Amino acid sequence: MPSAELLKRVDELPRLPKAVSELLDAVNNENTSIESISAKVAQDPIISARVLRLANSAHFGRSREVGSIEDAVVRLGMQTLRTLVISSAVIGVIPKVEGIDLAEFWGETFEVALYSQEMAKVCGVATDEAFTCAILHNIGDLLIAVVEPAIAAQIRAAVAEGADKQQLETSLLGFDSPSVGALLAKNWKFAPSLVQGIEFQRAPLQAKPASKLASVIYLSHAVFSHWDDERDDESFTAWLAGKANKEAGIIKMDMSGLAEKFVALRGKGLEIGKQLA
């Protein structure tokens, strides 16, 4: 888990607002009615505005524009609503981060989340858990930028020049961003499997016990980072299968058709990010 240096600063981590915590509990409860969830959403004007805006966006919009929270909740579905609640909670406790474009940050986050959802289907991982884990996987970057803005800026500049992000974080801070994100998820009472998925997203083979969630995040992030590499669908499949086996510890995984599915998803997360920031 996190280093001693990080544990010393645990009080600096933001707390999940009670109202958001209750809403998240309602969204995660299969027995909660749409009416009850809609009523809770309506109590938070910021989340309400985001729900309506996203429901009427190009990704979710239909021929008829929705104007009620209940119709918007039905259109978005529980998984997307759960994601909105989580991301809104993060945006609420960290409203502005110097040096980080939040639209870009959330766009990249949602791209990885959509890929993770698709990847999970062939890895034996629950798609909603993979999606939620991916939504939180980069939250450590925001937290470091809040508590150590100067060091965070130094790290971003060095990484842009080709430096190793993990080495820099560890040497300059005594911990890395996945450890911060994992600690936040633990404090917010997310499932241990999700906490582990965040913590070991950069090195899934180090997770004990093995974490398929970490593997899914690792592979999905690799797809996002190497999207512009020149390769056809067949070589993409071989490349991803190699990474899954050697770097993520997933040996049995049917990669056929994934490239085509990722192409269909490309850009959707970036659009959702614009609606949130």
Side-chain angles (χ1 to χ4, degrees):
M1 202 49 196
S3 67
E5 188 65 30
L6 175 54
L7 290 173
K8 291 177 185 176
R9 308 189 65 169
V10 67
D11 289 338
E12 296 180 48
L13 296 178
R15 299 287 183 255
L16 187 64
K18 182 180 178 181
V20 175
S21 179
E22 291 176 352
L23 178 54
L24 191 56
D25 287 342
V27 173
N28 286 329
N29 186 345
E30 295 180 357
N31 297 319
T32 307
S33 67
I34 294 293
E35 292 80 5
S36 176
I37 291 173
S38 300
K40 287 183 178 296
V41 169
Q43 292 173 8
D44 189 308
I46 295 177
I47 294 180
S48 295
R50 289 190 177 118
V51 165
L52 286 169
R53 188 163 72 242
L54 189 58
N56 288 308
S57 69
H59 180 58
F60 290 97
R62 306 289 189 273
S63 57
R64 180 179 67 88
E65 182 172 308
V66 299
S68 74
I69 295 297
E70 188 168 330
D71 286 347
V73 168
V74 171
R75 177 175 287 184
L76 293 176
M78 284 301 103
Q79 178 172 289
T80 301
L81 183 60
R82 182 185 302 115
T83 301
L84 263 179
V85 173
I86 294 170
S87 54
S88 292
V90 173
I91 293 171
V93 296
I94 312 175
K96 187 176 181 181
V97 181
E98 185 176 351
I100 294 181
D101 183 329
L102 288 179
E104 182 179 326
F105 173 86
W106 284 112
E108 175 179 336
T109 296
F110 271 87
E111 284 284 297
V112 173
L114 289 173
Y115 301 158
S116 296
Q117 184 180 42
E118 198 62 50
M119 191 92 67
K121 297 176 184 177
V122 297
C123 293
V125 175
T127 56
D128 59 341
E129 191 174 17
F131 196 86
T132 302
C133 187
I135 288 300
L136 288 170
H137 85 281
N138 267 345
I139 193 61
D141 287 345
L142 293 185
L143 295 172
I144 288 174
V146 169
V147 300
E148 293 286 1
I151 294 178
Q154 180 182 347
I155 291 172
R156 287 195 300 273
V159 170
E161 295 296 322
D164 183 274
K165 187 177 182 181
Q166 176 131 10
Q167 286 183 354
L168 274 174
E169 289 175 343
T170 303
S171 62
L172 295 175
L173 295 164
F175 51 83
D176 60 19
S177 53
S179 294
V180 185
L183 188 57
L184 179 71
K186 183 178 181 180
N187 281 5
W188 284 10
K189 295 182 170 38
F190 281 100
S193 58
L194 189 143
V195 174
Q196 190 183 42
I198 296 171
E199 183 179 3
F200 293 99
Q201 60 178 283
R202 291 177 179 170
L205 294 180
Q206 293 180 14
K208 305 296 180 187
S211 169
K212 281 193 175 182
L213 264 179
S215 298
V216 166
I217 302 300
Y218 178 86
L219 293 171
S220 299
H221 205 281
V223 170
F224 177 82
S225 300
H226 294 277
W227 186 272
D228 293 324
D229 293 0
E230 292 187 12
R231 58 170 70 91
D232 56 25
D233 286 2
E234 185 175 345
S235 57
F236 168 88
T237 301
W239 168 79
L240 190 57
K243 292 189 81 66
N245 189 355
K246 296 178 182 178
E247 300 173 31
I250 300 177
I251 299 174
K252 295 182 179 180
M253 181 175 171
D254 183 7
M255 302 285 186
S256 59
L258 270 181
E260 185 178 342
K261 291 175 181 176
F262 288 146
V263 168
L265 291 172
R266 181 65 172 173
K268 291 185 177 180
L270 300 176
E271 176 61 31
I272 295 174
K274 293 177 183 177
Q275 303 298 326
L276 287 172

